[in-house]
PDB file of all heavy atoms in Angstrom:
ATOM      1  N   MET N 619       6.046  11.204  -9.741  1.00  0.00           N
ATOM      2  CA  MET N 619       6.390  12.300  -8.840  1.00  0.00           C
ATOM      3  C   MET N 619       5.286  13.355  -8.738  1.00  0.00           C
ATOM      4  O   MET N 619       4.926  13.784  -7.633  1.00  0.00           O
ATOM      5  CB  MET N 619       7.718  12.926  -9.278  1.00  0.00           C
ATOM      6  CG  MET N 619       8.303  13.873  -8.266  1.00  0.00           C
ATOM      7  SD  MET N 619       8.742  13.028  -6.711  1.00  0.00           S
ATOM      8  CE  MET N 619      10.333  12.360  -7.167  1.00  0.00           C
ATOM      9  N   PRO N 620       4.706  13.828  -9.881  1.00  0.00           N
ATOM     10  CA  PRO N 620       3.631  14.831  -9.772  1.00  0.00           C
ATOM     11  C   PRO N 620       2.416  14.291  -8.989  1.00  0.00           C
ATOM     12  O   PRO N 620       1.825  15.010  -8.173  1.00  0.00           O
ATOM     13  CB  PRO N 620       3.265  15.125 -11.229  1.00  0.00           C
ATOM     14  CG  PRO N 620       4.479  14.746 -12.007  1.00  0.00           C
ATOM     15  CD  PRO N 620       5.064  13.559 -11.295  1.00  0.00           C
ATOM     16  N   ALA N 621       2.053  13.029  -9.244  1.00  0.00           N
ATOM     17  CA  ALA N 621       0.897  12.453  -8.551  1.00  0.00           C
ATOM     18  C   ALA N 621       1.195  12.275  -7.077  1.00  0.00           C
ATOM     19  O   ALA N 621       0.313  12.449  -6.234  1.00  0.00           O
ATOM     20  CB  ALA N 621       0.532  11.111  -9.186  1.00  0.00           C
ATOM     21  N   LEU N 622       2.446  11.936  -6.751  1.00  0.00           N
ATOM     22  CA  LEU N 622       2.839  11.768  -5.350  1.00  0.00           C
ATOM     23  C   LEU N 622       2.726  13.105  -4.611  1.00  0.00           C
ATOM     24  O   LEU N 622       2.242  13.160  -3.479  1.00  0.00           O
ATOM     25  CB  LEU N 622       4.269  11.254  -5.298  1.00  0.00           C
ATOM     26  CG  LEU N 622       4.867  10.942  -3.916  1.00  0.00           C
ATOM     27  CD1 LEU N 622       4.044   9.872  -3.222  1.00  0.00           C
ATOM     28  CD2 LEU N 622       6.318  10.480  -4.065  1.00  0.00           C
ATOM     29  N   GLN N 623       3.177  14.165  -5.262  1.00  0.00           N
ATOM     30  CA  GLN N 623       3.075  15.506  -4.665  1.00  0.00           C
ATOM     31  C   GLN N 623       1.619  15.861  -4.400  1.00  0.00           C
ATOM     32  O   GLN N 623       1.254  16.336  -3.329  1.00  0.00           O
ATOM     33  CB  GLN N 623       3.719  16.517  -5.614  1.00  0.00           C
ATOM     34  CG  GLN N 623       3.687  17.959  -5.105  1.00  0.00           C
ATOM     35  CD  GLN N 623       4.801  18.243  -4.119  1.00  0.00           C
ATOM     36  OE1 GLN N 623       5.957  17.931  -4.388  1.00  0.00           O
ATOM     37  NE2 GLN N 623       4.459  18.876  -3.003  1.00  0.00           N
ATOM     38  N   ASN N 624       0.770  15.611  -5.411  1.00  0.00           N
ATOM     39  CA  ASN N 624      -0.646  15.942  -5.287  1.00  0.00           C
ATOM     40  C   ASN N 624      -1.324  15.132  -4.189  1.00  0.00           C
ATOM     41  O   ASN N 624      -2.151  15.649  -3.451  1.00  0.00           O
ATOM     42  CB  ASN N 624      -1.344  15.660  -6.623  1.00  0.00           C
ATOM     43  CG  ASN N 624      -2.823  15.981  -6.596  1.00  0.00           C
ATOM     44  OD1 ASN N 624      -3.232  17.094  -6.283  1.00  0.00           O
ATOM     45  ND2 ASN N 624      -3.631  15.004  -6.936  1.00  0.00           N
ATOM     46  N   THR N 625      -0.920  13.871  -4.050  1.00  0.00           N
ATOM     47  CA  THR N 625      -1.504  12.989  -3.023  1.00  0.00           C
ATOM     48  C   THR N 625      -1.187  13.519  -1.640  1.00  0.00           C
ATOM     49  O   THR N 625      -2.080  13.572  -0.766  1.00  0.00           O
ATOM     50  CB  THR N 625      -0.977  11.559  -3.188  1.00  0.00           C
ATOM     51  OG1 THR N 625      -1.301  11.071  -4.489  1.00  0.00           O
ATOM     52  CG2 THR N 625      -1.568  10.647  -2.120  1.00  0.00           C
ATOM     53  N   TRP N 626       0.053  13.903  -1.419  1.00  0.00           N
ATOM     54  CA  TRP N 626       0.425  14.404  -0.080  1.00  0.00           C
ATOM     55  C   TRP N 626      -0.186  15.764   0.194  1.00  0.00           C
ATOM     56  O   TRP N 626      -0.472  16.104   1.357  1.00  0.00           O
ATOM     57  CB  TRP N 626       1.945  14.434   0.071  1.00  0.00           C
ATOM     58  CG  TRP N 626       2.438  13.083   0.470  1.00  0.00           C
ATOM     59  CD1 TRP N 626       3.022  12.149  -0.311  1.00  0.00           C
ATOM     60  CD2 TRP N 626       2.329  12.498   1.774  1.00  0.00           C
ATOM     61  NE1 TRP N 626       3.285  11.002   0.416  1.00  0.00           N
ATOM     62  CE2 TRP N 626       2.881  11.186   1.680  1.00  0.00           C
ATOM     63  CE3 TRP N 626       1.817  12.936   2.993  1.00  0.00           C
ATOM     64  CZ2 TRP N 626       2.943  10.325   2.788  1.00  0.00           C
ATOM     65  CZ3 TRP N 626       1.875  12.061   4.084  1.00  0.00           C
ATOM     66  CH2 TRP N 626       2.424  10.800   3.964  1.00  0.00           C
ATOM     67  N   ASP N 627      -0.420  16.560  -0.841  1.00  0.00           N
ATOM     68  CA  ASP N 627      -1.154  17.822  -0.649  1.00  0.00           C
ATOM     69  C   ASP N 627      -2.543  17.534  -0.110  1.00  0.00           C
ATOM     70  O   ASP N 627      -3.046  18.229   0.788  1.00  0.00           O
ATOM     71  CB  ASP N 627      -1.252  18.593  -1.975  1.00  0.00           C
ATOM     72  CG  ASP N 627       0.061  19.233  -2.381  1.00  0.00           C
ATOM     73  OD1 ASP N 627       0.980  19.309  -1.534  1.00  0.00           O
ATOM     74  OD2 ASP N 627       0.172  19.659  -3.550  1.00  0.00           O
ATOM     75  N   HIS N 628      -3.193  16.492  -0.637  1.00  0.00           N
ATOM     76  CA  HIS N 628      -4.521  16.090  -0.170  1.00  0.00           C
ATOM     77  C   HIS N 628      -4.463  15.618   1.287  1.00  0.00           C
ATOM     78  O   HIS N 628      -5.294  16.009   2.109  1.00  0.00           O
ATOM     79  CB  HIS N 628      -5.061  14.950  -1.056  1.00  0.00           C
ATOM     80  CG  HIS N 628      -5.795  15.418  -2.245  1.00  0.00           C
ATOM     81  ND1 HIS N 628      -5.157  15.908  -3.378  1.00  0.00           N
ATOM     82  CD2 HIS N 628      -7.123  15.465  -2.542  1.00  0.00           C
ATOM     83  CE1 HIS N 628      -6.062  16.225  -4.281  1.00  0.00           C
ATOM     84  NE2 HIS N 628      -7.260  15.978  -3.805  1.00  0.00           N
TER      85      HIS N 628
END
Side-chain angles (χ1 to χ4, degrees):
M619 192 64 82
L622 183 60
Q623 180 82 48
N624 181 56
T625 301
W626 277 101
D627 286 346
H628 273 76

